[in-house]
Structures are given as structure tokens and as C-alpha cells.
Amino acid sequence: MLKLYNTKTRGKEEFEPLENGVVRLYACGPTVYDFPHIGNLRTFLFSDLLVRHLKRSGHEVRNVMNITDVDDKTIRGADEEGVSLREYTQKYTDYFFEDLETLRIEPAWKYPRATEHIDEMLEVVETLVERGHAYEHEGSVYFDISSFDEYGKLSGIVPDATDSREFGRLDDDEYEREDARDFVLWKAGKPGEPTWESPWGPGRPGWHIECTAMSTAYLGKTLDMHLGAVDLVFPHHENEIAQSEAYTGEEFVRYWVHPEHLIVEGEKMSKSKGNFFTLRDLLDRGCDPIAIRHLLMTAHYRRQLNFTVEGLEQSLHALERLWDFADRMSEVPADAEGEDLAGEVEAALSKFEAALNDDLNVPGAMAAVFALVRQVNPLLAEGRVSADGAQRVLDFFADADRVLGIIEHQDRADAAGADDAEIEALVQERQEAREAGDYARADEIRDELLEQGIVIEDTAHGPRWRRE
Ligand code: AMP
Ligand code: ZN
């Protein structure tokens, strides 16, 4: 049974969905005004890991991630490039999906776009006005936070004024704790901005309202889980709760789950600080995308993770060991006799599952996999693994990879498009020379291959080669 830390109760709780076997999950998605940086991607990867774990545990998961395609930044970007908002955001939406695929993040159930749900948002805003939770002011509509007694229940931020509408209003979508005031649901149109018709004149939605409108449209009044990085607790999620609960009269979210930030030299990675890497920056430097995925998984999600290039190198190194081990396992001959590894694999599986069920401890789950590699490696090197044992390990890897997504790999030699057949032929020729006692020729071939960066290793099951 999965235990998760719930920001709402500030403690770990056993997770059970409202409807048996079905999890309704909403995660705040990207604002498509630029390439995501790898901090954003750490947060999206966390959603992926949680969803994969829930699916592997037998749940059907209806996970929704919104695409914010109208806000100050997207409008400004489109304006600067002289293209329509749609053309501009489509480009970055495509890049976003490409990045997800590169990092092996499985597609969500739905990716609704804000601009395609304006009617649903207007419906929520109108209802809030009718019920006295929101009011119009100069063509914009604001949520009256004093009308919602429980405002502040997620973040612990309680505004001090108690009389209705004494707080003043705020048009910004993002603001600091001190600025807990009536927030904007609908913004009056400004000249040159894209607008939609509304009962209050032409305008566009504020940021917070899209998540209420789209989550209820696809998942109903009460969500099992809502995700987003810690910076969204206030004001975004606090405001989502106020609007949603004032709108539906029901509890909005049962489990709030907030992953921590990716940091660089002690500071949050962010566009505004300029201390960010996009996935493309790293791929252009020749980084392996699965090493990036691995690195982003090396700290527990409730801890900050410090990004370094050395960390990335360590990740690649660890993965190469794992891949090499898996390759050698798959080469154990079908008639090999030896250890069946039943006890080792069972122990690894139970550690793997216990770690994931303990507040999604992904580093712990990966440690269970790597510990098995360390334990079995000497047996494999000595040719003491049976065919059954090898299959058992490979089955466990395939199963673990349903969550981790780092073990399966394309042979990098294939990916490089090198002429494997030629290398195989030389390796074979060297082996024959050795068997015939022609060590001079055997060494010559080895040196020739080494010059091309190909290393031959003689194992209990014959020679193997790999690129350096
Ligand atoms: P945005 O595209 O700016 O709306 O952000 C998308 C998601 O990335 C949100 O859940 C943010 O909270 C999250 N995020 C922003 N910066 C970081 C960071 N440095 N580390 C992890 N997540 C982040
Ligand atoms: Zn949101």
C-alpha cells in the first residue's frame, strides 16, 4: 500500500482512491512560452514516476496535465515574434512533447489547453459571481477571499483583514505571501491582446481559474491527487482550492503532492535567474537523455536536487554498468547451469516495492536494482548463473523498468550506426586465431579494434566487445 506525504495534513498517509482501482490525478503543466528547463522537467518526471507506480500497482490512472497557452508571457512572446498566439504556443507545445518523449515520460491521459476551455472557465466565474464569491471591477472579475472561510488552509497563509473586500485586489497571477489579496479570475482585455467575449466585456482568463475549470471538466468535483512543484502551493494551489470549493461545495483535492526544486549552486533553477539548462542544451553537449532522466531521479522528490555536470557523468557511468550487466545476462546460453538467483531476485523485488510504497522513494528503488547487480556480477563473471537465473533477473529488470524507465536501452553501437557486422567478424577471427594458437594475429586484431575504440573482453561465455 502506497504511503504519500500530503501537504494538506503535513504527514505521510496511506493512499486510497475514492473509486476503487481508479486514480484521478491532476498535475499543473507547462506554460508554453519557451523550452522547459530541466527543473520543470524534474517536476514532470516526478508525475511520470508516480503515475507509473500507480499503474504498476494495478490502478487505472486518469491523469490530466494542463497546457497554459494564454498568459502574460505567451502573449508577449507571440507579440515579439509577430505571430499569432496559437502559432507561437503550438511551437513550444510541440517542443514540450518532444522533451517528454526524449526523457521517456509517458503521455498523460489528457493534455487540455487553456484556450480551448474558455467556456468552462466562464461558467465557473459566472457561478462564483452569482454566489457572492466573486465580483466585477472595471471589466475584470476578482475572487473575494474573505467569502471563503477556509482561505489559507493549504499554505497556512491567513490574510489579516476580516471584512469583505478589504484586502484590495491583485491582477498579477504570481505573487508573494504578503500579498494575499483578492485575486483575478478574469482580466479585462487590453489593446492588442487576444480576448474572448464575456458577460463583463472582452477579456481573457487569469491563470488560476484554468486548473479549476479543466480539472473539474475532466475529473469531476473531487480529485484524488493534485501535483505541482512546491512553488505552486501559494498562491496557485491555495487559490485553486478557494475557487473550486466555492464553486462545487465539495472537497477539491484529497492528496496534495509537491515535489521540491532542482537547484543550481544553492539557487532554484529558473528562467529569470538565467541559471538554467534546457534538455536541448544538454543533448547538444552530447549528454545521454537516459542519464539525464537518471540524474533527475537520484534525490527523493521531497528533497532539492543539485544539478551538476559531474552528477550527469556519474549517472551515465552507473547506467553503463547496469546496461553492460543486462547485456551479459541476456547472453547467458540457454543451456547454462548454475545459480537460479530466486532468493536474490525476490529480495530485490521486495526492497524495490517497499521503497516505492514509502512516499515514492525512487532512489531507494533504484538502489535495490543496483544492489542486485553488485551481488550477481561476480557470479556472472565466473559463469555461475543458470539460464533460469538469468531470465529471472531480466524479468525483474523489465518489471522494475515499468516504473524506472532507465534499464531498457538501445545498444549504443546500433544507435551510432557503426558497422557491427565488421566488428563481429574481426572478433570472430581473433577468437579463431587464439584457438589455433596464433596469438600474434589475435593481438593484432585486438589492437586494430582498440584503435577504433572497440574493447574486447574475454568472458566465461566467450569474447564480448563494447565501445569505450
Ligand atoms: P511553468 O512552465 O513555469 O508553469 O512551470 C512548470 C512546472 O515546473 C511547475 O510545476 C513549476 O512549479 C515547476 N518548476 C519551476 N521551476 C522549477 C525548478 N527549479 N525545479 C523543479 N520544478 C520547477
Ligand atoms: Zn494549476
Side-chain angles (χ1 to χ4, degrees), residues 200-227:
W200 314 282
R204 63 174 169 104
W207 171 37
H208 314 294
I209 195 68
E210 72 179 80
C211 290
T212 289
M214 298 196 279
S215 62
T216 38
Y218 289 96
L219 299 170
K221 294 176 180 174
T222 300
L223 318 176
D224 288 309
M225 289 191 195
H226 194 315
L227 278 50

Coordinates of all heavy atoms in Angstrom, one line a residue, residues 200-227:
W200 N -18.7 40.4 -19.0 CA -18.1 41.7 -18.5 C -17.3 42.4 -19.6 O -16.5 43.2 -19.3 CB -17.2 41.3 -17.3 CG -17.9 40.4 -16.3 CD1 -18.8 40.7 -15.4 CD2 -17.7 39.0 -16.3 NE1 -19.3 39.6 -14.8 CE2 -18.6 38.5 -15.3 CE3 -16.9 38.1 -16.9 CZ2 -18.7 37.1 -15.0 CZ3 -17.0 36.7 -16.6 CH2 -17.9 36.3 -15.6
G201 N -17.6 42.0 -20.8 CA -16.9 42.6 -21.9 C -15.7 41.7 -22.3 O -15.5 40.6 -21.7
P202 N -15.0 42.1 -23.4 CA -13.9 41.2 -23.9 C -12.8 41.1 -22.8 O -12.5 42.1 -22.1 CB -13.4 41.9 -25.1 CG -14.0 43.3 -25.1 CD -15.1 43.3 -24.2
G203 N -12.2 39.9 -22.7 CA -11.1 39.8 -21.8 C -10.5 38.4 -21.9 O -10.7 37.7 -22.9
R204 N -9.7 38.0 -21.0 CA -9.0 36.7 -21.0 C -8.9 36.2 -19.6 O -9.0 36.9 -18.6 CB -7.6 36.8 -21.6 CG -6.7 37.7 -20.9 CD -5.3 37.6 -21.5 NE -4.4 38.6 -21.0 CZ -3.4 38.3 -20.1 NH1 -3.3 37.1 -19.6 NH2 -2.6 39.3 -19.7
P205 N -8.7 34.9 -19.5 CA -8.7 34.3 -18.1 C -7.5 34.6 -17.3 O -6.4 34.8 -17.9 CB -8.8 32.8 -18.4 CG -8.3 32.6 -19.8 CD -8.6 33.8 -20.5
G206 N -7.6 34.7 -16.0 CA -6.4 34.7 -15.2 C -5.8 33.3 -15.2 O -6.4 32.4 -15.8
W207 N -4.7 33.1 -14.5 CA -4.0 31.7 -14.6 C -4.7 30.7 -13.8 O -5.0 29.6 -14.2 CB -2.6 31.9 -14.1 CG -1.8 30.6 -13.9 CD1 -1.9 29.5 -14.7 CD2 -0.8 30.4 -12.9 NE1 -1.0 28.6 -14.2 CE2 -0.3 29.1 -13.1 CE3 -0.3 31.1 -11.8 CZ2 0.7 28.5 -12.3 CZ3 0.7 30.6 -11.0 CH2 1.1 29.2 -11.3
H208 N -5.1 31.0 -12.5 CA -5.6 30.0 -11.6 C -6.8 29.3 -12.0 O -7.0 28.1 -11.8 CB -5.8 30.6 -10.2 CG -4.7 31.5 -9.7 ND1 -3.4 31.0 -9.5 CD2 -4.6 32.8 -9.5 CE1 -2.6 32.0 -9.2 NE2 -3.3 33.1 -9.2
I209 N -7.7 30.1 -12.7 CA -9.0 29.5 -13.0 C -9.0 28.4 -14.0 O -9.8 27.5 -13.9 CB -10.0 30.7 -13.5 CG1 -11.4 30.2 -13.5 CG2 -9.6 31.1 -14.9 CD1 -12.0 30.1 -12.1
E210 N -8.0 28.3 -14.8 CA -7.9 27.2 -15.8 C -7.8 25.9 -15.1 O -8.4 24.9 -15.6 CB -6.8 27.4 -16.8 CG -5.4 27.2 -16.3 CD -4.3 27.4 -17.3 OE1 -3.9 28.5 -17.6 OE2 -3.9 26.4 -17.9
C211 N -7.1 25.8 -14.0 CA -6.9 24.5 -13.4 C -8.2 24.0 -12.7 O -8.5 22.8 -12.8 CB -5.7 24.5 -12.4 SG -4.2 24.7 -13.3
T212 N -9.0 24.9 -12.2 CA -10.3 24.6 -11.6 C -11.2 24.1 -12.7 O -11.8 23.0 -12.6 CB -10.9 25.8 -10.8 OG1 -10.1 26.0 -9.7 CG2 -12.3 25.5 -10.5
A213 N -11.3 24.9 -13.8 CA -12.2 24.6 -14.8 C -11.9 23.2 -15.5 O -12.8 22.4 -15.8 CB -12.3 25.7 -15.9
M214 N -10.6 23.0 -15.8 CA -10.2 21.8 -16.6 C -10.2 20.6 -15.7 O -10.5 19.5 -16.2 CB -8.9 22.1 -17.3 CG -9.1 23.2 -18.3 SD -7.8 23.3 -19.5 CE -6.5 24.2 -18.7
S215 N -9.8 20.7 -14.5 CA -9.8 19.5 -13.6 C -11.2 19.0 -13.4 O -11.5 17.8 -13.5 CB -9.0 19.8 -12.3 OG -9.6 20.7 -11.6
T216 N -12.1 20.0 -13.1 CA -13.5 19.5 -12.8 C -14.1 19.0 -14.1 O -14.9 18.0 -14.1 CB -14.4 20.6 -12.2 OG1 -14.0 21.8 -12.7 CG2 -14.2 20.7 -10.7
A217 N -13.8 19.6 -15.2 CA -14.4 19.2 -16.5 C -14.0 17.7 -16.8 O -14.8 16.9 -17.3 CB -13.9 20.1 -17.7
Y218 N -12.7 17.3 -16.6 CA -12.3 16.0 -16.9 C -12.3 15.0 -15.8 O -12.4 13.8 -16.0 CB -10.8 16.1 -17.5 CG -10.8 16.7 -18.8 CD1 -10.5 18.1 -18.9 CD2 -11.1 16.0 -20.0 CE1 -10.4 18.7 -20.2 CE2 -11.0 16.6 -21.2 CZ -10.7 17.9 -21.3 OH -10.7 18.5 -22.5
L219 N -12.3 15.5 -14.5 CA -12.1 14.5 -13.4 C -13.2 14.6 -12.4 O -13.3 13.8 -11.5 CB -10.7 14.7 -12.8 CG -9.5 14.5 -13.7 CD1 -8.3 14.9 -13.0 CD2 -9.4 13.0 -14.1
G220 N -14.1 15.6 -12.5 CA -15.2 15.7 -11.5 C -14.8 16.7 -10.4 O -13.7 17.3 -10.4
K221 N -15.7 16.7 -9.4 CA -15.5 17.8 -8.3 C -14.3 17.5 -7.4 O -13.7 18.4 -6.9 CB -16.8 17.8 -7.5 CG -18.0 18.3 -8.3 CD -19.2 18.3 -7.4 CE -20.4 18.8 -8.2 NZ -21.7 18.7 -7.5
T222 N -14.1 16.2 -7.1 CA -13.0 15.9 -6.2 C -12.0 15.0 -6.8 O -12.2 14.0 -7.4 CB -13.6 15.1 -5.0 OG1 -14.6 15.9 -4.4 CG2 -12.6 14.7 -3.9
L223 N -10.7 15.5 -6.7 CA -9.6 14.8 -7.3 C -8.9 13.9 -6.2 O -8.9 14.3 -5.1 CB -8.5 15.8 -7.8 CG -9.0 17.0 -8.6 CD1 -7.8 17.9 -8.9 CD2 -9.7 16.6 -9.9
D224 N -8.4 12.8 -6.6 CA -7.6 12.0 -5.7 C -6.3 12.7 -5.4 O -5.9 12.8 -4.2 CB -7.3 10.6 -6.2 CG -8.6 9.7 -6.2 OD1 -9.2 9.7 -5.2 OD2 -8.9 9.2 -7.3
M225 N -5.7 13.2 -6.4 CA -4.3 13.8 -6.2 C -4.2 15.0 -7.1 O -4.7 15.0 -8.2 CB -3.2 12.8 -6.7 CG -3.0 11.7 -5.8 SD -1.5 10.9 -6.3 CE -1.7 9.3 -5.5
H226 N -3.4 16.0 -6.6 CA -3.1 17.1 -7.3 C -1.6 17.4 -7.1 O -1.1 17.4 -6.0 CB -3.9 18.3 -6.9 CG -3.9 19.5 -7.8 ND1 -2.7 20.0 -8.4 CD2 -4.9 20.3 -8.3 CE1 -3.0 21.0 -9.1 NE2 -4.3 21.2 -9.1
L227 N -0.9 17.6 -8.2 CA 0.6 17.7 -8.2 C 1.0 19.0 -8.7 O 0.3 19.6 -9.6 CB 1.2 16.6 -9.1 CG 1.5 15.2 -8.6 CD1 0.2 14.6 -7.9 CD2 2.0 14.3 -9.7

